């Protein structure tokens, strides 16, 4: 009874939301009532401009082919059990394997790109937005065609949790122009770099790994970042580099045990006032602060209390708590 009622509420909420497309579809590899059971079937069945709601599951989703239709793919977020007031269903929607985005203006939000050493997240089209995602893959700007030299423009990567990933151009000499890389938490190990961007905005990110270099960029704005364990090298050309928090001890909050919440600055940290005009540095500052668990910009049910049975006298007394994020 609870499951059926919750599904009806979710469908009602989703049907009232106008997003960027003419049609919305539900994708689930665990519920046969969904419109599609696989991402491959969904990509074949939709029309350019449609939206896919990707349901959380213990089973990973995969994509056999590049994304060639403009689409919005919305997942439930990540680290949902770590933070309060997230979702009733704590399962993320995880896409494993290499993912290639070759359709202009594609949006992916609230999705987990699984950790894998040899899998990539390839961006080969203009105006792609990756927002509020967990990125465990190498991020490359390429169409994987060594015979073409692309100028890939206006990519936005924002409010993401990026783990052990390389954010850079691809070695096929495709190059990223005018990228916006803002308000991300970037946890990276040895030899992970943010290199070779042209005219990018690299702002309000928290680089919290070790040996992460920002190097060989041209005409970029690099500001208001936390650079724990990172290096801005002198080979950046014509870049504006200022108001980054690079000295002293980075004082993070001790009040959060969540995987992403623990990277919030403590109230007394110098990084709270080191940014432009005394603003906060790092992912939780700036105009678009990082959102815990990557919750989407839609109403979400984070608590439901419903009895197992109803009566003619009392009916069905249900309590639902719905939240929204910025």
């Amino acid at each position: 009874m609870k499951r059926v009622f919750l599904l009806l509420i979710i469908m009602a909420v989703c049907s009232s939301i106008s997003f960027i497309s003419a049609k919305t579809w539900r994708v689930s590899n665990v519920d046969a009532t969904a419109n599609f059971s696989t991402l491959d079937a969904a990509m074949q069945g939709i029309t350019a401009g449609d939206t896919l709601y990707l349901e959380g599951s213990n089973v990973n989703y995969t994509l056999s082919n590049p994304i060639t239709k403009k689409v919005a793919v919305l997942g439930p977020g990540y680290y949902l059990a770590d933070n309060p007031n997230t979702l009733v269903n704590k399962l993320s929607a995880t896409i494993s394997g290499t993912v290639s985005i070759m359709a202009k203006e594609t949006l992916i939000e609230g999705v987990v790109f699984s950790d894998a050493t040899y899998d990539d997240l390839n961006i080969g089209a203009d105006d792609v937005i990756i927002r509020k995602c967990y990125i465990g893959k190498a991020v490359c700007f390429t169409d994987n065609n060594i015979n073409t030299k692309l100028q890939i423009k206006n990519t936005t990567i924002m409010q993401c949790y990026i783990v052990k990933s390389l954010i850079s151009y691809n070695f096929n000499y495709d190059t990223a122009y005018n990228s916006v890389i803002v308000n991300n938490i970037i946890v990276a190990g040895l030899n992970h770099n943010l290199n070779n961007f042209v005219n990018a905005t690299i702002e309000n990110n928290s680089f919290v790994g070790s040996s992460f270099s920002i190097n060989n960029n041209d005409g970029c704005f690099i500001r208001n970042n936390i650079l724990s364990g990172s290096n801005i090298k002198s080979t950046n050309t014509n870049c504006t580099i200022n108001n980054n928090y690079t000295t002293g001890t980075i004082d993070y909050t001790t009040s959060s045990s969540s995987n992403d919440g623990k990277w919030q600055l403590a109230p007394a940290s110098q990084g709270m006032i080191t940014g432009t005009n005394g603003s906060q540095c790092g992912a939780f500052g700036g105009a678009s602060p990082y959102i815990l668990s990557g919750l989407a910009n839609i109403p979400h049910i984070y608590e439901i209390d419903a009895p197992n049975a109803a009566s003619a006298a009392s009916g069905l007394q249900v309590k639902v708590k719905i939240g929204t994020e910025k």
Side-chain angles (χ1 to χ4, degrees), residues 28-97:
S28 175
N29 54 21
V30 294
D31 189 342
T33 66
N35 300 111
F36 301 101
S37 60
T38 68
L39 266 177
D40 285 332
M43 292 299 175
Q44 292 176 7
I46 66 171
T47 300
D50 285 355
T51 295
L52 299 176
Y53 287 98
L54 198 59
E55 186 171 309
S57 169
N58 281 320
V59 181
N60 289 359
Y61 297 89
T62 59
L63 270 171
S64 301
N65 298 298
I67 297 173
T68 56
K69 299 175 184 178
K70 172 187 172 181
V71 64
V73 181
L74 304 182
Y78 50 91
Y79 292 145
L80 295 170
D82 283 19
N83 298 303
N85 301 341
T86 55
L87 297 173
V88 172
N89 180 0
K90 304 299 183 185
L91 297 176
S92 297
T94 300
I95 304 176
S96 59

Side-chain angles (χ1 to χ4, degrees), residues 107-246:
L107 163 68
I108 301 182
E109 179 175 303
V111 167
V112 172
F113 295 99
S114 64
D115 299 20
T117 303
Y118 298 107
D119 290 340
D120 296 333
L121 173 57
N122 295 324
I123 299 173
D126 295 343
D127 303 303
V128 170
I129 299 175
I130 309 296
R131 183 170 62 201
K132 298 181 181 179
C133 290
Y134 175 105
I135 303 177
K137 304 180 186 302
V139 181
C140 299
F141 292 82
T142 180
D143 63 349
N144 272 335
N145 184 344
I146 61 174
N147 296 315
T148 61
K149 185 176 181 180
L150 294 185
Q151 295 183 359
I152 300 164
K153 303 180 182 68
N154 307 325
T155 300
T156 297
I157 301 176
M158 66 182 298
Q159 298 170 309
C160 292
Y161 194 92
I162 302 172
V163 181
K164 298 180 181 177
S165 295
L166 170 71
I167 308 177
S168 180
Y169 81 130
N170 185 271
F171 294 105
N172 294 334
Y173 302 104
D174 300 328
T175 307
Y177 287 79
N178 307 322
S179 299
V180 176
I181 302 171
V182 296
N183 291 96
N184 302 287
I185 298 174
I186 302 174
V187 184
L190 186 63
N191 296 326
H192 291 275
N193 310 290
L194 199 153
N195 296 347
N196 303 297
F197 286 93
V198 179
N199 298 333
T201 297
I202 303 167
E203 184 172 346
N204 276 104
N205 300 285
S206 294
F207 294 89
V208 297
S210 60
S211 301
F212 200 111
S213 69
I214 301 175
N215 186 39
N216 198 31
N217 299 288
D218 188 2
C220 296
F221 292 93
I222 304 172
R223 58 197 174 199
N224 299 349
N225 301 286
I226 293 175
L227 298 170
S228 172
S230 303
N231 297 293
I232 297 179
K233 297 185 178 180
S234 59
T235 51
N236 293 290
T237 305
N238 302 318
C239 291
T240 300
I241 304 174
N242 53 30
N243 296 101
N244 297 288
Y245 186 27
T246 59

Side-chain angles (χ1 to χ4, degrees), residues 261-276:
K262 67 184 179 182
W263 300 117
Q264 298 174 87
L265 289 176
S269 171
Q270 186 65 27
M272 295 292 286
I273 57 173
T274 303
T276 303

